[in-house]
């Protein structure tokens, strides 16, 4: 019987995070604060016997992975970093000021910013609005992100035996999309840098059993 538990961690704070810029496939280095967040998360996870660790192929996730690994009592087997676990792609809006970008996306709707859009339209429609507003129409839609998540679970399952505990380092909006898909209220509830969410996969289902934890992680 399949029983895979995945501890999903958002990377530590980056330079672009600190400037409140849209950071999807664009990358930037961890700040000193971000490095400390990763170390703190590592200490909280130190006694969990992970069998495998995987991450996005973006450097901020890989660096967070390595800092967490430095704190673990037991060293898991490394699954090669995988683009499947990258952050959501924001297309034209990559690297731009986040509040200004969302103000532009929401302008025609009569609402102001991402959280108002989510409140009134839900997260799938909000992602579609960014895709539609993107002059290149390359910003990922909700369904595209969920499809990546589903492929990511396949990547992990293929690399692991049927019973395993896996550490996965990935990105904020990517995790938030998974949470919304599993019925979590994400309004005003964005994964913090270094936070942990837990996914449990069995033969019958994939369930998000906790979201955005920063303390008492078990």
């Amino acid at each position: 019987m399949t029983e895979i538990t995945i501890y999903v961690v958002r990377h530590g704070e980056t330079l672009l995070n600190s400037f409140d810029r849209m950071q999807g496939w664009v990358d930037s280095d961890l700040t000193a604060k971000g490095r400390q967040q990763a170390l703190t998360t590592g200490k909280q996870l130190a006694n969990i016997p992970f069998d495998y660790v995987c991450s996005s192929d973006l450097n901020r996730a890989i660096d967070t992975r390595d800092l967490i690994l430095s704190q673990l009592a037991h060293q898991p087997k490394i699954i090669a970093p995988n683009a499947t676990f990258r952050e959501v792609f924001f297309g034209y809006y990559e690297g731009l000021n986040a509040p200004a970008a969302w103000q532009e996306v929401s302008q025609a709707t009569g609402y102001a910013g991402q959280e108002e859009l989510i409140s009134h339209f839900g997260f799938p429609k909000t992602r579609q609005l960014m895709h539609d507003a993107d002059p290149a129409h390359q910003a990922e839609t909700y369904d595209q992100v969920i499809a990546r998540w589903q492929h990511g679970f396949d990547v992990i399952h293929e690399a692991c035996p049927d019973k395993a505990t896996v550490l996965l380092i990935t990105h904020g909006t990517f995790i938030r999309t998974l949470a919304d898909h599993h019925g979590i209220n994400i309004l005003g509830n964005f994964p913090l840098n270094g936070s942990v969410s837990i996914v449990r996969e069995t033969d019958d289902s994939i369930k998000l059993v906790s979201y955005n934890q920063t303390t008492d992680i078990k």
Side-chain angles (χ1 to χ4, degrees), residues 22 89-94 96 100-102 104-107 127-140:
M22 303 290 289
F89 183 53
F90 300 122
Y92 166 83
Y93 298 101
E94 289 277 336
L96 300 184
W102 280 110
E104 180 178 321
V105 170
S106 64
Q107 188 173 14
R127 293 250 39 89
Q128 185 65 46
L129 286 168
M130 175 171 275
H131 174 83
D132 293 344
D134 176 1
H137 299 302
Q138 292 186 21
E140 279 189 292

Side-chain angles (χ1 to χ4, degrees), residues 2-218:
T2 299
E3 188 175 320
I4 298 176
T5 302
I6 308 169
Y7 287 69
V8 185
V9 178
R10 184 187 176 199
H11 62 78
E13 181 194 73
T14 67
L15 187 63
L16 289 182
N17 288 156
S18 71
F19 294 151
D20 203 7
R21 292 185 175 272
M22 303 290 289
Q23 186 178 215
W25 292 9
V26 167
D27 208 2
S28 67
D29 292 338
L30 298 181
T31 61
K33 179 180 178 181
R35 293 177 64 82
Q36 186 56 55
Q37 288 167 333
L39 291 170
T40 297
T41 300
K43 290 174 184 175
Q44 292 173 335
L45 300 174
N47 295 316
I48 296 173
F50 293 107
D51 300 297
Y52 295 85
V53 60
C54 188
S55 75
S56 155
D57 65 340
L58 296 173
N59 285 333
R60 61 189 185 270
I62 295 170
D63 291 345
T64 298
R65 179 202 68 185
D66 291 345
L67 288 163
I68 291 174
L69 288 177
S70 75
Q71 303 300 304
L72 300 187
H74 169 78
Q75 291 298 300
K77 182 177 179 179
I78 295 176
I79 300 171
N82 196 302
T84 299
F85 299 112
R86 282 187 178 188
E87 179 57 294
V88 173
F89 183 53
F90 300 122
Y92 166 83
Y93 298 101
E94 289 277 336
L96 300 184
N97 175 267
W102 280 110
Q103 188 65 37
E104 180 178 321
V105 170
S106 64
Q107 188 173 14
T109 68
Y111 297 109
Q114 179 178 205
E115 297 306 305
E116 283 197 17
L117 291 178
I118 294 171
S119 178
H120 288 86
F121 297 113
F123 205 34
K125 177 64 174 177
T126 297
R127 293 250 39 89
Q128 185 65 46
L129 286 168
M130 175 171 275
H131 174 83
D132 293 344
D134 176 1
H137 299 302
Q138 292 186 21
E140 279 189 292
T141 65
Y142 187 93
D143 288 346
Q144 287 173 325
V145 177
I146 292 301
R148 276 209 290 126
W149 260 115
Q150 291 169 340
H151 178 60
F153 290 128
D154 290 341
V155 168
I156 289 174
H157 194 269
E158 288 169 8
C160 299
D162 284 341
K163 290 193 176 182
T165 302
V166 180
L167 176 63
L168 171 64
I169 294 83
T170 181
H171 305 269
T173 303
F174 196 51
I175 299 168
R176 195 184 197 194
T177 308
L178 178 70
D180 180 82
H181 185 66
H182 283 268
I184 301 295
N185 181 5
I186 63 160
L187 189 62
N189 188 11
F190 194 91
L192 300 173
N193 292 108
S195 66
V196 180
S197 303
I198 301 176
V199 174
R200 189 157 293 128
E201 179 184 359
T202 66
D203 290 333
D204 300 323
S205 65
I206 296 174
K207 294 182 179 178
L208 183 68
V209 298
S210 66
Y211 173 65
N212 200 20
Q213 291 181 285
T214 56
T215 57
D216 299 324
I217 303 165
K218 298 178 181 178

